[in-house]
Structures are given as C-alpha cells and as structure tokens.
Amino acid sequence: MKIKGITPILLVVLVVLLITGKIGFLQGPLTTFMEYVDHSIGGVNAIGWSIVILTIVVRTIMLPLMVHQQRLATIQQEKMRMLQPQLSKVQAAQKAATTPADQQKASAAMMSIYRENNVSLLGGMNFAALVIQWPIFFGLYRAIQHAHGVGNAAFFGITLGEKSITLAIATAVVYALQSWLSMIGVPKEQKKQMATMMYIMPVMMFFMTYITNAGIALYFFVGAIMVVLQTLIIVIWRPRLRRNVESSFVVKDVADDALAGRLKSDAPQGAFARAMQQAQQAASQNEQTQEPKDIEATEHETTDQKVANRERNAGKQQRDSE
C-alpha cells in the first residue's frame, strides 16, 4: 500500500539526518550485533563471519522492499514492450526530423504516448524505498568500518584491514552474473538500452571494492550474492508478471494522433513532466516572437516594392506623354 506524500517526508528526514550527522544512528546496534556474533563464533575467522552474517541479516530484512522495487521496474518494462510499436514509429519520426520544430513535435509525441497509456518515465522507481535504504546501509558500512579488531583480523587468509584484489574480482564477477540474469526475458529493444549498464556495473563495483579495505569489500561481495538472489526471484516471477500485464494493461494506440498534434494536452503530473512542458512552451514562444518580425519585415519589403513600382510607372507615363 502506498502512502501519499511519504517520499517528501522521508527526504526531509534524510536531509536532517545528514545535516546533523546522525545518518549513521544504526551503527551502534549493528556494531553490538557484530560483536555478539564474533564472541559467539570465536576463532580466527570470527570477525569475517560476523560481517557475513550481519550483511545477510540486513539484506534479508530489506529483501521484500528490494524485490518490490524490481517488480515495479519489471512491470514498467513489460508495459514498454507492449508500447514498442508506437515508440518505434515516433523514433523513426525523430530520426527523419529535419528541423528543431519537427524534433520537438516528435519528442512531444513520445511524451503523449507515455501519458495517454499512464506509463511512468521513471520506470516504476519507488523513491521511498531508495530513501529508506540510506540510513540502513550507511550504518552497516560504518559498523563494519569501525568494528573493533577488523584492522588486524583475517578471513580465510584475507586481511580485513587491507585491500583485497581477490574480493574485488569476486564481487565484479558476481555483479556480472547479476547483470546477465537481469537481461533474461527483457524485450530486445530494452536490452540494447540496458547493455551499457550491464558492463558498467561490474567495473564500477570492482573499483569500489578494491579502493576500500577487505572488511567493506566482504560486505559488498556478500551483498552482491543477495542481489543475485533477488534477481533470480524476479526472473522466476517475470512470466507471471508478463501475463498479468498483458491481461490488464489496455494499450491506447495514439502514435499517429500524437505525431499529428491532435491529442489534447492534459496538465502534466510531476516536476519532471512540468519541466518538459515548460521547455517546450519556451521554445514555441521563441518561434512565435520571431515570426511577427519576419512578417513585419516582409510587409515593409512589399510596401517598398509597391512604392518603387508606382514611381517607375509614373516615370514611364511621363515619358510616354512627352
């Protein structure tokens, strides 16, 4: 169930936590949990196991929220798949556009297709879910970073206080697997758009994991495994989601009307849509302010031509009379 207006409230709370330095308020309880696990397990690898268990516990608690986020994104992907014939028609118009006005009309047509079919440009992103994760993962990060004994501890021969190329490579490989799994069942056109991210994510996670100590790298590695798990859930769930979208989503074929400018423009919803409309209106106003000048210049030219013609005719008549 969605609570209307909760995202702005969460954003305000997050900003207050950042300004006051309280963003890591969960560090204390998470550190206590790590120390408890460390003493319970004991042995050389105890601190490493405490990091693994803590990461699994936190990620498991967050799993329903993360799966819900991916579910929304998957539903949007399936809706986009059903809209692809119309989008392809508009994309062809964009490529064929020879003037800024034509390009603007095609862009407006694309927005109209989304609007008329009630499809979000943000891909079903739930900002409330993203904001909630910040304090949790920040507290988890600081708990691991400042846990007692991490600097000198080892986990199966890997010193947790130093960099680990092994964990960096392992994390990149797991994220590459996750990227590949996320492509299963995705429509062909959307695969092209997602291909870049498929390569960027593993490389980015490699560097993020390598530049920090192995304790944090271990957290990233275990977290990557949990991300693979949630992606597998969506892969298994996708056929059912596709059937639900196909049975419930009614496609409005408005591409031709949108390209012809025959659709009534409703008030845009959201700051992004309003910004797009304002940009389009500003461009239209610029064109309109330029047109009167051109018309006025043309009228002056026409008047000057008439005066010149009358003077030539008067001179000709005078010569004929003489």
Side-chain angles (χ1 to χ4, degrees):
M1 182 180 68
K2 292 183 178 180
I3 302 176
K4 186 175 180 181
I6 191 172
T7 300
I9 296 174
L10 291 174
L11 283 172
V12 171
V13 172
L14 180 63
V15 171
V16 171
L17 290 174
L18 286 169
I19 293 174
T20 58
K22 302 294 185 181
I23 188 67
F25 69 94
L26 292 175
Q27 176 186 348
L30 294 175
T31 301
T32 301
F33 178 84
M34 282 183 62
E35 292 174 350
Y36 171 78
V37 174
D38 178 20
H39 291 121
S40 299
I41 295 176
V44 179
N45 299 317
I47 291 182
W49 279 120
S50 70
I51 294 174
V52 171
I53 293 173
L54 177 61
T55 306
I56 291 174
V57 169
V58 172
R59 287 278 188 169
T60 301
I61 294 173
M62 294 295 297
L63 187 61
L65 189 62
M66 302 297 290
V67 170
H68 176 68
Q69 174 68 47
Q70 277 196 270
R71 174 181 170 274
L72 294 177
T74 302
I75 290 174
Q76 289 299 111
Q77 288 176 357
E78 292 301 323
K79 288 182 177 181
M80 294 283 285
R81 178 181 63 84
M82 297 179 67
L83 290 176
Q84 193 57 49
Q86 296 186 65
L87 299 178
S88 297
K89 186 179 292 187
V90 175
Q91 288 166 357
Q94 286 178 324
K95 292 179 180 179
T98 57
T99 65
D102 290 339
Q103 293 176 350
Q104 181 184 341
K105 179 184 283 189
S107 298
M110 186 79 74
M111 298 283 289
S112 296
I113 292 173
Y114 290 135
R115 184 186 68 246
E116 294 296 323
N117 286 279
N118 196 29
V119 174
S120 171
L121 293 173
L122 299 176
M125 185 173 291
N126 187 339
F127 287 102
L130 296 176
V131 173
I132 290 172
Q133 294 174 45
W134 271 73
I136 296 173
F137 291 131
F138 197 91
L140 181 60
Y141 181 91
R142 292 186 62 177
I144 295 172
Q145 190 177 35
H146 300 291
H148 178 71
V150 171
N152 300 321
F155 187 66
F156 293 100
I158 299 174
T159 304
L160 298 179
E162 300 177 358
K163 295 179 181 180
S164 172
I165 186 69
T166 302
L167 283 174
I169 293 174
T171 303
V173 169
V174 176
Y175 266 98
L177 173 62
Q178 186 272 334
S179 297
W180 178 78
L181 288 172
S182 66
M183 293 290 188
I184 297 177
V186 176
K188 184 178 179 180
E189 291 297 325
Q190 294 182 39
K191 279 185 178 180
K192 295 178 181 178
Q193 300 173 3
M194 297 169 62
T196 303
M197 185 58 65
M198 180 178 178
Y199 297 108
I200 289 177
M201 183 59 72
V203 174
M204 183 178 69
M205 292 308 301
F206 170 82
F207 284 107
M208 285 182 62
T209 308
Y210 182 67
I211 63 176
T212 187
N213 62 54
I216 303 299
L218 183 59
Y219 155 69
F220 281 127
F221 173 68
V222 178
I225 295 175
M226 296 298 292
V227 171
V228 168
L229 176 61
Q230 74 185 41
T231 304
L232 280 172
I233 293 173
I234 292 298
V235 169
I236 296 171
W237 204 355
R238 182 181 284 273
R240 179 182 174 184
L241 292 175
R242 176 171 292 176
R243 290 193 298 269
N244 289 342
V245 172
E246 289 176 345
S247 62
S248 61
F249 182 52
V250 179
V251 177
K252 295 182 181 179
D253 191 352
V254 296
D256 293 332
D257 289 336
L259 287 170
R262 291 193 292 265
L263 288 180
K264 181 181 178 181
S265 179
D266 298 329
Q269 301 295 321
F272 179 78
R274 287 195 295 270
M276 290 292 293
Q277 188 186 60
Q278 289 173 0
Q280 293 173 359
Q281 289 175 349
S284 299
Q285 289 175 358
N286 288 336
E287 291 181 358
Q288 291 173 0
T289 54
Q290 291 174 359
E291 287 177 359
K293 294 180 180 179
D294 295 338
I295 294 172
E296 185 179 354
T298 303
E299 290 177 350
H300 283 308
E301 291 175 0
T302 304
T303 303
D304 292 341
Q305 290 175 355
K306 290 180 179 179
V307 172
N309 289 336
R310 283 199 297 268
E311 290 178 350
R312 284 196 297 270
N313 291 334
K316 183 178 179 181
Q317 291 175 357
Q318 184 176 2
R319 287 194 298 272
D320 291 342
S321 61
E322 291 175 354

